Amino acid sequence: MKLLSFFTKPKKFSDIIPDYKEYVRLQKEDYCSFESDNKHWSEGQERYIKQNFSKTKKDTKILDMACGDGVGLKTFKKLKFTNITGVEFNSQKAKKALIYGYPVEQYDMHKLKFGNDVFDIAYSSHTLEHSYQPSQAIGELHRVLKPKGLLYVVLPYPDNSHPNDKAHGAKYELGTYQDDDGKAVKKYFEKIGFQLVSKKYDHFREPEIWLKFRKV
């Protein structure tokens, strides 16, 4: 592992974990958690979806990126959405998520095996801070969204706790480690081809920033 001095701020995840295989192992094993086992976090996910998707048409084609063990899918099912697709890298989580009746693809977020311009909406909750190459993961979301499609993003914010660096290594590239009213993270998404629609802060689960973007 590359050694960083105490005062050296990483610029990207590979400054913290140089080997991608080790990154994958850590994400799938050491930092694997099942959201359905945490009542408070499950309630937070349901709360977010109900607040943000209650007025969305039920047949809207939605991608739930890193759907985990299906807590979000369960809420979409309760709300009677009919056209949801989940993506989950961890096979154990993906298997559990299938019980809600939606397709769940076991893809790496950095390489989605969908065609271009497929989804009306992409939803990413507490996902991108884990991405090894956030520009690539966000670029994939941009690619699979239809023109003017919407991206809903939830990120820990500000995410400035060093003990979680090996789990949330993307925060340095995303800019979410800075408490700057979301300016850096907004700019990051804009460089990839998104336009900010709305921004909100929430503290139900932990300090979060809620961002809504449109593909341009």
Side-chain angles (χ1 to χ4, degrees):
M1 182 182 295
K2 194 181 295 184
L3 295 176
L4 299 171
S5 74
F6 183 80
F7 298 103
T8 301
K9 177 178 68 63
K11 292 183 178 180
K12 51 189 177 179
F13 217 142
S14 59
D15 291 334
I16 302 166
I17 304 173
D19 182 55
Y20 185 72
K21 289 183 179 179
E22 175 63 6
Y23 155 80
V24 170
R25 187 195 70 77
L26 287 168
Q27 295 293 326
K28 287 188 173 184
E29 298 177 14
D30 294 31
Y31 304 118
C32 173
S33 61
F34 291 84
E35 192 174 14
S36 58
D37 293 337
N38 188 320
K39 183 180 178 182
H40 184 68
W41 274 76
S42 296
E43 289 174 349
Q45 174 102 254
E46 181 171 355
R47 175 176 172 269
Y48 177 89
I49 291 173
K50 285 181 175 178
Q51 284 191 31
N52 289 275
F53 292 96
S54 60
K55 295 181 180 179
T56 304
K57 292 181 179 179
K58 303 305 180 185
D59 62 349
T60 300
K61 195 171 179 69
I62 298 175
L63 172 66
D64 186 346
M65 169 63 81
C67 64
D69 56 352
V71 170
L73 298 181
K74 180 180 180 180
T75 304
F76 282 120
K77 195 75 172 180
K78 282 183 183 179
L79 296 175
K80 303 188 184 304
F81 280 88
T82 60
N83 204 355
I84 310 290
T85 299
V87 165
E88 176 51 50
F89 199 28
N90 185 300
S91 59
Q92 292 176 289
K93 292 183 182 182
K95 186 176 180 180
K96 288 191 71 172
L98 283 169
I99 66 173
Y100 300 108
Y102 298 117
V104 177
E105 305 292 350
Q106 194 179 333
Y107 296 158
D108 185 325
M109 73 174 91
H110 303 91
K111 192 174 181 180
L112 301 177
K113 297 178 183 179
F114 301 113
N116 298 338
D117 307 333
V118 174
F119 297 96
D120 301 301
I121 291 175
Y123 167 50
S124 167
S125 177
H126 286 268
T127 299
L128 293 170
E129 68 272 21
H130 295 272
S131 59
Y132 197 68
Q133 295 177 311
S135 62
Q136 187 173 334
I138 297 167
E140 281 292 271
L141 291 172
H142 188 277
R143 182 183 65 79
V144 303
L145 277 170
K146 294 177 182 178
K148 298 185 179 180
L150 297 174
L151 173 61
Y152 291 77
V153 177
V154 180
L155 292 163
Y157 187 85
D159 193 359
N160 49 23
S161 172
H162 292 297
N164 73 5
D165 278 3
K166 289 183 181 180
H168 291 188
K171 64 188 176 184
Y172 295 104
E173 190 170 336
L174 288 167
T176 52
Y177 71 96
Q178 303 178 72
D179 191 358
D180 64 351
D181 197 29
K183 291 178 182 178
V185 67
K186 170 182 174 287
K187 185 177 180 180
Y188 193 88
F189 279 84
E190 288 175 341
K191 286 182 179 178
I192 299 171
F194 286 101
Q195 180 181 40
L196 184 67
V197 176
S198 66
K199 176 185 68 177
K200 181 179 178 181
Y201 298 103
D202 193 75
H203 293 80
F204 182 83
R205 287 176 285 194
E206 66 175 344
E208 298 173 339
I209 189 169
W210 294 3
L211 300 165
K212 180 180 176 183
F213 295 98
R214 188 181 306 279
K215 176 179 175 176
V216 293

